[in-house]
Amino acid sequence: MNEVLEFLLNNPTFYIATMDGDQPRVRPFGAVMKYNDKLYFATNNTKSVFEQLVANPKVEISTTSPECEWIRLTGKAVFDSSTEVKSAMLESVPSLKKMYSF
């Protein structure tokens, strides 16, 4: 997991693919952290990506490096809206403080 996190942090724009009914949707993300030995990604629960993940939590994440190395992760989203996780994400990715608060 540390190698995956390092790759995502070194290539800070990564793409998350979800399903919107029968239509795939891909969008850029940049917020990732390790917390309690798990990878965490952040989004707002008012966004369509959140609704899509609630409806179908299967997700793929992909990015590439300037050296053309790439990664593709497949998994299932598990939601954690605890205050501790939110605080950790805001500290881990300070740029989120401009967009989010709790």
Side-chain angles (χ1 to χ4, degrees), residues 39-87:
L39 288 179
Y40 277 74
F41 304 90
T43 190
N44 191 313
N45 64 6
T46 63
K47 293 186 175 184
S48 59
V49 64
F50 181 81
E51 292 176 19
Q52 292 159 12
L53 288 170
V54 168
N56 181 351
K58 294 178 183 175
V59 64
E60 284 199 351
I61 297 168
S62 183
T63 194
T64 188
S65 73
E67 297 78 33
C68 296
E69 299 169 313
W70 59 274
I71 191 171
R72 184 176 68 201
L73 308 170
T74 301
K76 183 177 179 183
V78 176
F79 302 96
D80 185 342
S81 60
S82 69
T83 301
E84 295 81 16
V85 168
K86 290 177 182 180
S87 293

Side-chain angles (χ1 to χ4, degrees), residues 30-31 42-44 47 90 93-102:
T43 190
N44 191 313
K47 293 186 175 184
L90 291 175
V93 187
S95 62
L96 291 177
K97 292 178 183 177
K98 297 175 189 173
M99 297 180 283
Y100 302 113
S101 65
F102 63 94

